[in-house]
């Protein structure tokens, strides 16, 4: 065996590789060699390909004849190239030990189960992470005027990944000139070629030059605006963007404040706002099944059985004596009823009052209520326009109508319009088929007629008068039935939605 020398690595992986192959060829075991490294101070020019090779993108071509060859697996080659960028004074000796063992036929050296293999994998992994971080966290700042290079950046990588990242940016930033300064050296792209130097530029000058540009304030406003405190996951943030990088990022100084705000309530407010803005989608299904199991509200004012309470001024309860023999049921409060808190207080109420007069029925002797107790409306300009309640809303409100029916036990029910009819007989009852003919519901009679608003909508005078008369006739018939001896007996307990008995 020749005398084992002290080997000096001056040019990174390529230089180590050339010397290591010679050492293997000479049969020098790892313990016999001292490896040291010397920073390559001289400013050098690299082509892009060269930078990429330094970065591990391509294997440097061996100098034919002069360098002996050793066949290694592709995986091991990649591990060696990455681990060579791990910043440690012992890296070259370690890599040579790995290569030596491989050449001796000891394939376990590339495995993570082997002590050296595990160390090699750890080093390569740390370097890959550092490469990723540098690509992700380098920020270029445009310099004022015609200054060259046009862009500056300062970055402090964990390992020797400057050449790799510089190769990456050179491929992507076209002919714009830039310089990345690090504590270990700098990379300068003049628009055509990459220059790498092991001499660190003056950090303060670089940092000052790389600090602010015209775009930065815009970026900061944008960064703040896209930050959603409700979605902040601090653990994930610190894993993906470790705190040590914040100082190099223009947005870095904002982050602690934004985290503090999120912790102190902005997260909850953000969440509430987003959830509140969701419009939701009504799902057609049986209202009973859709109701969560909960105690029934004891007061109509607190009713949340459907969504109508949200936009109504108040719930409008029925009114009249509990001993009333006649119950008249409308659809739902209108605009004026919603404000006044009384059923049939507006224009439809005037039509009803007139019909009651014609029928000779004193309003205060009957029980007057609605199938739905909250006003459902849509906005038209500044007006609230009536909107017919959905069946699920009618069913949700049947809780209150059932209570009224059970309490009052009317002998006769007059329903005004289709909604009221459906509320008592159940979905699908036909107003046309039920009009003006008494229907037995439990122990009571039900008489169906038009809704007073229908008369208000009709343009034709004759048709309007016919409807008004039909309503009055039905009320008179109901009043008569209610007072007859036959129906004066105590009423049955009703259940809105019960099947009609003809
Ligand atoms: N229409 C109804 O059905 N009920 C009222 O209370 C008012 C208008």
């Amino acid at each position: 065996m020749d005398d084992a020398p002290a080997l000096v690595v001056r040019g990174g992986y390529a230089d180590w590789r050339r010397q290591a192959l010679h050492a293997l060829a000479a049969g020098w075991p790892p313990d016999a060699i001292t490896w040291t490294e010397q920073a390559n101070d001289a400013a050098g020019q690299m082509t892009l390909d060269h930078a990429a090779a330094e970065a591990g993108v391509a294997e440097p071509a061996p100098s034919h004849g002069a360098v002996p060859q050793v066949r290694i697996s592709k995986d091991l080659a990649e591990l060696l190239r990455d681990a060579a960028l791990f910043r440690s004074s012992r890296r070259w000796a370690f890599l040579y030990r790995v290569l030596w063992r491989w050449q001796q036929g000891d394939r376990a050296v590339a495995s993570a189960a082997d002590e050296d293999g595990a160390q090699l994998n750890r080093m390569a992994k740390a370097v890959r992470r550092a490469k990723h971080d540098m690509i992700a966290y380098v920020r270029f700042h445009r310099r004022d005027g015609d200054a060259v290079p046009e862009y500056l950046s300062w970055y402090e990588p964990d390992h020797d990944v400057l050449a790799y990242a510089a190769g990456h940016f050179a491929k992507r930033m076209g002919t714009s000139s830039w310089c990345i300064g690090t504590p270990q050296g700098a990379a300068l792209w003049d628009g055509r070629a990459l220059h790498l130097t092991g001499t660190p530029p003056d950090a303060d000058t670089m940092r000052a030059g790389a600090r602010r540009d015209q775009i930065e304030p815009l970026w900061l406003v944008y960064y703040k605006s896209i930050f959603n405190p409700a979605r902040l996951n601090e653990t994930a943030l610190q894993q993906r963007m470790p705190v040590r990088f914040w100082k190099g990022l223009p947005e870095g100084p904002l982050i602690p404040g934004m985290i503090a705000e999120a912790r102190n309530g902005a997260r909850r407010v953000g969440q509430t706002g987003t959830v509140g803005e969701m419009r939701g989608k009504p799902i057609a299904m049986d209202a009973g099944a859709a109701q969560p199991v909960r105690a029934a509200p004891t007061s109509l004012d607190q009713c949340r059985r459907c969504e109508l309470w949200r936009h109504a001024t108040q719930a409008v309860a029925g009114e009249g004596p509990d001993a009333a023999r006649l119950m008249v049921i409308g659809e739902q409060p209108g605009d004026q009823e919603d404000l006044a808190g009384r059923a049939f207080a507006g224009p439809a109420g005037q039509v009803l009052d007139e019909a009651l007069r014609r029928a000779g029925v004193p309003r205060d002797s009957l029980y007057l209520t609605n199938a739905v107790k909250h006003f459902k409306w849509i906005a038209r300009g500044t007006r609230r326009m009536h909107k017919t309640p959905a069946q699920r809303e009618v069913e949700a409100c049947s809780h209150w109508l059932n209570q009224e029916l059970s309490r009052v036990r009317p002998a006769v029910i007059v329903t005004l319009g289709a909604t009221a009819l459906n509320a008592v007989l159940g979905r699908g009852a036909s107003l046309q088929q039920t009009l003006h003919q008494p229907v037995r519901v439990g122990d009571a009679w039900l008489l169906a007629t038009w809704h007073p608003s229908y008369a208000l909508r009709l343009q034709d005078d004759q048709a309007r008068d016919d409807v008004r008369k039909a309503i009055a006739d039905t009320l008179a018939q109901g009043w008569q039935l209610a007072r007859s001896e036959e129906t004066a007996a105590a009423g049955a307990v009703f259940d809105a939605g019960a099947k009609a008995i003809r």
Side-chain angles (χ1 to χ4, degrees), residues 316 330-334 337 342-346 348-349 369-370 416 451 453:
V316 177
E331 182 190 80
Q332 62 164 347
E337 287 80 9
R342 290 197 62 205
F344 286 98
T369 190
N370 282 301
L416 305 173
H451 192 283
S453 305

Side-chain angles (χ1 to χ4, degrees), residues 305-360:
R305 301 179 72 88
C306 71
E307 291 299 299
L308 294 188
W309 65 274
R310 286 188 187 283
H311 303 294
T313 310
Q314 58 193 314
V316 177
E319 60 182 35
D322 278 357
R325 308 305 300 145
L326 175 63
M327 180 183 279
V328 176
I329 306 176
E331 182 190 80
Q332 62 164 347
D335 181 62
Q336 297 200 23
E337 287 80 9
D338 169 79
L339 297 171
R342 290 197 62 205
F344 286 98
Q350 288 171 11
V351 176
L352 178 65
D353 283 344
E354 189 223 44
L356 287 171
R357 256 192 318 274
R358 282 169 76 169

Side-chain angles (χ1 to χ4, degrees), residues 73-92:
S73 74
K74 189 161 163 281
D75 286 351
L76 180 60
E78 277 169 13
L79 284 169
L80 290 172
R81 269 199 306 265
D82 279 331
L85 302 178
F86 190 93
R87 202 174 289 144
S88 155
S89 57
R90 298 209 303 272
R91 64 184 137 176
W92 306 119

Side-chain angles (χ1 to χ4, degrees), residues 11-239:
Y13 175 75
D15 188 34
W16 167 82
R17 179 178 178 277
R18 182 184 54 77
Q19 298 194 63
L21 290 173
H22 278 299
L24 282 180
W28 295 332
D31 293 347
I33 308 175
T34 348
W35 291 90
T36 48
E37 97 178 357
Q38 212 172 66
N40 194 353
D41 288 348
Q45 175 165 332
M46 280 184 151
T47 64
L48 194 49
D49 287 345
H50 188 178
E54 268 298 285
V57 175
E59 187 79 11
S63 25
H64 292 290
V67 181
Q69 298 296 298
V70 173
R71 293 197 76 80
I72 60 175
S73 74
K74 189 161 163 281
D75 286 351
L76 180 60
E78 277 169 13
L79 284 169
L80 290 172
R81 269 199 306 265
D82 279 331
L85 302 178
F86 190 93
R87 202 174 289 144
S88 155
S89 57
R90 298 209 303 272
R91 64 184 137 176
W92 306 119
F94 173 72
L95 295 187
Y96 184 68
R97 186 164 78 233
V98 170
L99 195 60
W100 170 267
R101 283 182 57 191
W102 178 276
Q103 205 226 9
Q104 301 295 310
D106 183 358
R107 297 295 184 255
V109 74
S111 150
D114 178 272
E115 201 178 324
D116 283 338
Q119 170 69 11
L120 183 68
N121 276 281
R122 267 197 303 276
M123 290 165 73
K125 189 170 169 199
V127 166
R128 285 170 197 157
R129 180 75 206 233
K131 285 178 174 177
H132 163 273
D133 289 344
M134 186 158 181
I135 302 290
Y137 301 126
V138 158
R139 295 284 186 274
F140 286 102
H141 298 263
R142 187 162 176 75
R143 297 167 78 199
D144 293 338
D146 297 332
V148 173
E150 298 155 87
Y151 294 90
L152 284 187
S153 175
W154 176 258
Y155 186 81
E156 295 173 15
D158 285 343
H159 296 289
D160 292 342
V161 295
L162 172 63
Y164 170 84
H168 169 93
F169 290 117
K171 281 184 185 149
R172 282 161 184 80
M173 288 184 56
T175 52
S176 304
S177 57
W178 50 258
C179 178
I180 305 175
T182 76
Q184 293 76 34
L188 172 71
W189 173 254
D190 61 14
R192 290 189 320 278
L194 191 58
H195 307 262
L196 290 167
T197 169
T199 313
D202 179 55
D204 290 340
T205 316
M206 284 292 287
R207 279 206 196 94
R211 189 56 26 115
R212 295 199 74 81
D213 60 17
Q214 309 98 313
I215 304 167
E216 190 172 307
L218 268 180
W219 161 244
L220 296 184
V221 171
Y222 171 73
Y223 186 81
K224 272 202 101 160
S225 74
I226 57 164
F227 176 74
N228 178 353
R231 302 197 61 197
L232 174 66
N233 177 337
E234 284 178 53
T235 315
L237 171 73
Q238 299 205 9
Q239 269 168 4

